[in-house]
Amino acid sequence: MITSTVENYVKQIYLQQQENPADLLPMGKLATAMNVVPGTATAMVKALADSGLVDYEPRGGIRLTHGGEQLALHVLRRHRILESFLVEILGLDWSEVHEEAETLEHAVSDKVLERMDHLMNRPQYDPHGDPIPTAKGQISHIRLMPLSDMAPGTSAQVARVADQDAAFLRFAEKNGLLPGVKFSLISSDSQADAVTIRLRNKQTITLGGKAAEKILVRKKTG
Amino acid sequence: MITSTVENYVKQIYLQQQENPADLLPMGKLATAMNVVPGTATAMVKALADSGLVDYEPRGGIRLTHGGEQLALHVLRRHRILESFLVEILGLDWSEVHEEAETLEHAVSDKVLERMDHLMNRPQYDPHGDPIPTAKGQISHIRLMPLSDMAPGTSAQVARVADQDAAFLRFAEKNGLLPGVKFSLISSDSQADAVTIRLRNKQTITLGGKAAEKILVRKKTG
DNA sequence: TGCCCTCTTTTGAATAATCAAAATCACTTA
DNA sequence: TAAGTGATTTTGATTATTCAAAAGAGGGCA
Ligand SMILES: [Mn+2]
Ligand SMILES: [Mn+2]
Ligand SMILES: [Mn+2]
Ligand SMILES: [Mn+2]
């Protein structure tokens, strides 16, 4: 049965797998990501394998089957459309919608989701800049550069803020670091592990390496 | 723990209790309403009693405690605001929103619900004419008369359609029997178990006793 | 080669919810 | 008052999910 637990596992496996698409995902990684003890992950993975959602190599790791990936993308679509809806239609803050969507993604029907999607004019990206899979299960795989890798003097725009932590998102918002915002890199000091950028409104912001890695940018086309 | 199962039981107990507010609700009634075998209801009720949500008299029946009633009203509020939202904002048909709300009522947070309520300008009634409890747990208890009890020649307006069955709701909608619609009773034949009404648009509709009981009306004030 | 450390699996147990079927209870009815 | 009947409870199982703790596997290091 596809319970919300199964949906959460499959979605998390997909997300973790993205970080290392070539390798099998080790059980330990999954257990940590799911916040369960390793034995729980093993038990669950066996059930997922029985349902044909993952391929499981004992002591090797796991990988989603095609069916598993489709399910993951379907859940991800629900999650991201819901986040967009909560921000655009209901006016919630982008720092709080991830939590809300985490529950709603298991409760909303395809029909309701379709209405939400339609009402928002079918957005391609969620409020954090994450691509929204299509109803058919396609997702855009545009390679983005972390702000921390930019060369000094270059310009770019924020494409994605890759952290669901509410405090970080509030920090980013307060400093105008939202998807679509343009800026140029003023300085980058690898010894100091810090970069300084200037936004269009002349405001300058300095970020440490950890934070700069979470801001994914798109090079200014030209 | 307040699982969605607990919420469903408590809500159903509240609803069933309304039909006979003076008596204890018998286990059999509850089991039937919840679509479980009697033993399951007994087991669940013991758990609800342990959580302080119901008073349970073995072989007598049950009654919600104050806490249980508050929880029931809270769930009912979520259910009815969601139904309204699905109809008014997302444009679903009133015949399908009950099912959708049945799941969403357990997933939506108070914050999101408050935004929905605000966006709709705080409706007092859901699409079927059922009163929406306040956030504080108050609910209007206006006594309504079933259409089947009206005297010939009198006028009234539809206040509530007391049936969640999609087919019946589609039938009612097709014939213009929506909350707020005014009409007068043309004839009532108890032998034939049928009543005929005329709407403002001159359309006449004949209903059998079963159907007429499900249409609750408000006497024309005057 | 043998021990050790880490990761993973197994085992045993718990909670929540449910069913099937047997047992029990509280009333009627004869 | 004994038997019968219908509602309710009890008992024994099952499924899904989880944890704690013991056991096992494998690779690295002395
Ligand atoms: Mn989730
Ligand atoms: Mn997001
Ligand atoms: Mn429900
Ligand atoms: Mn309703």
Side-chain angles (χ1 to χ4, degrees):
Chain A
M1 211 190 343
I2 296 183
T3 61
S4 57
T5 305
V6 168
E7 291 188 342
N8 283 333
Y9 271 88
V10 167
K11 186 181 63 171
Q12 199 54 59
I13 292 166
Y14 176 87
L15 259 14
Q16 293 294 312
Q17 192 111 90
Q18 290 307 99
E19 324 224 307
N20 240 105
D23 303 354
L24 293 178
L25 175 65
M27 299 304 278
K29 282 263 168 59
L30 176 60
T32 304
M34 290 302 298
N35 252 292
V36 294
V37 300
T40 301
T42 300
M44 196 61 208
V45 157
K46 282 182 179 174
L48 296 177
D50 286 347
S51 309
L53 294 167
V54 305
D55 287 329
Y56 169 44
E57 293 189 16
R59 301 197 185 263
I62 57 178
R63 170 174 292 140
L64 287 179
T65 61
H66 177 72
E69 187 169 313
Q70 287 305 301
L71 176 57
L73 288 168
H74 197 223
V75 178
L76 216 48
R77 172 175 167 80
R78 296 199 297 252
H79 186 99
R80 291 176 179 170
I81 287 181
L82 280 162
E83 285 190 345
S84 305
F85 186 83
L86 293 173
V87 167
E88 288 186 28
I89 308 296
L90 293 182
L92 297 224
D93 192 86
W94 81 328
S95 66
E96 56 191 349
V97 295
H98 177 74
E99 275 301 297
E100 299 278 357
E102 201 54 58
T103 307
L104 286 168
E105 67 189 0
H106 312 293
V108 80
S109 71
D110 283 345
K111 183 167 227 158
V112 169
L113 199 80
E114 152 61 26
R115 298 301 177 108
M116 291 178 169
D117 193 37
H118 177 251
L119 187 61
M120 295 185 293
N121 213 23
R122 315 209 179 277
Q124 309 257 301
Y125 296 92
D126 84 359
H128 313 102
D130 292 298
I132 299 176
T134 67
K136 298 237 151 68
Q138 322 275 181
I139 187 169
S140 121
H141 282 292
I142 294 169
R143 189 160 290 299
L144 297 171
M145 170 186 287
L147 170 45
S148 49
D149 287 3
M150 281 176 67
T154 57
S155 289
Q157 64 177 316
V158 177
R160 193 151 105 68
V161 178
D163 188 351
Q164 307 295 342
D165 181 64
F168 183 77
L169 290 172
R170 279 195 299 271
F171 160 82
E173 186 177 33
K174 192 161 57 187
N175 290 99
L177 287 174
L178 298 167
V181 167
K182 292 170 181 157
F183 66 91
S184 54
L185 193 83
I186 304 207
S187 68
S188 165
D189 185 330
S190 67
Q191 276 332 103
D193 186 39
V195 297
T196 300
I197 63 174
R198 177 165 17 234
L199 304 185
R200 280 300 174 86
N201 64 6
K202 304 299 173 205
Q203 198 193 336
T204 68
I205 308 162
T206 299
L207 298 172
K210 273 258 187 54
E213 265 171 35
K214 296 190 263 187
I215 309 292
L216 301 181
V217 308
R218 186 175 296 118
K219 277 291 219 353
K220 271 301 222 344
T221 36
Chain B
M1 210 190 345
I2 296 182
T3 61
S4 58
T5 305
V6 168
E7 290 188 341
N8 283 334
Y9 272 88
V10 167
K11 186 181 65 170
Q12 200 54 59
I13 292 167
Y14 176 87
L15 259 15
Q16 293 294 313
Q17 192 111 91
Q18 291 308 100
E19 324 224 305
N20 241 108
D23 304 354
L24 292 177
L25 174 65
M27 300 303 279
K29 282 263 168 60
L30 177 59
T32 303
M34 290 302 299
N35 252 292
V36 294
V37 300
T40 301
T42 300
M44 197 60 209
V45 157
K46 282 181 179 174
L48 296 177
D50 285 347
S51 309
L53 294 168
V54 306
D55 286 330
Y56 169 45
E57 292 190 17
R59 299 191 188 264
I62 57 178
R63 169 172 292 140
L64 287 179
T65 61
H66 177 71
E69 187 170 312
Q70 286 305 302
L71 175 58
L73 288 169
H74 198 224
V75 178
L76 216 49
R77 173 176 167 78
R78 296 199 298 253
H79 186 98
R80 292 177 179 170
I81 287 180
L82 281 162
E83 284 190 346
S84 306
F85 186 84
L86 293 173
V87 168
E88 289 186 28
I89 308 296
L90 293 182
L92 297 225
D93 192 86
W94 81 329
S95 67
E96 58 192 346
V97 295
H98 177 75
E99 274 302 296
E100 299 278 356
E102 202 54 58
T103 306
L104 285 168
E105 67 188 1
H106 312 293
V108 79
S109 71
D110 284 345
K111 183 168 228 158
V112 169
L113 199 81
E114 152 62 26
R115 298 299 176 108
M116 291 178 168
D117 192 38
H118 177 250
L119 187 63
M120 294 186 292
N121 212 25
R122 314 207 179 280
Q124 308 258 299
Y125 295 92
D126 83 0
H128 313 102
D130 292 298
I132 298 176
T134 67
K136 299 235 151 68
Q138 322 274 181
I139 187 169
S140 120
H141 281 293
I142 295 169
R143 191 160 286 300
L144 297 171
M145 171 186 285
L147 170 44
S148 48
D149 287 4
M150 280 176 68
T154 58
S155 289
Q157 65 177 316
V158 177
R160 192 150 105 67
V161 179
D163 188 350
Q164 306 295 164
D165 181 65
F168 183 75
L169 290 173
R170 280 195 298 270
F171 160 81
E173 186 177 34
K174 191 161 57 185
N175 288 100
L177 286 175
L178 299 167
V181 167
K182 292 168 181 159
F183 66 92
S184 54
L185 193 84
I186 305 207
S187 68
S188 165
D189 184 330
S190 67
Q191 276 332 103
D193 186 40
V195 298
T196 300
I197 64 175
R198 176 163 20 233
L199 305 185
R200 279 302 173 82
N201 64 6
K202 305 298 172 206
Q203 197 193 338
T204 68
I205 308 161
T206 299
L207 297 172
K210 271 261 188 54
E213 266 171 35
K214 297 191 260 184
I215 310 292
L216 302 181
V217 308
R218 186 176 294 119
K219 276 291 221 351
K220 271 301 222 344
T221 36

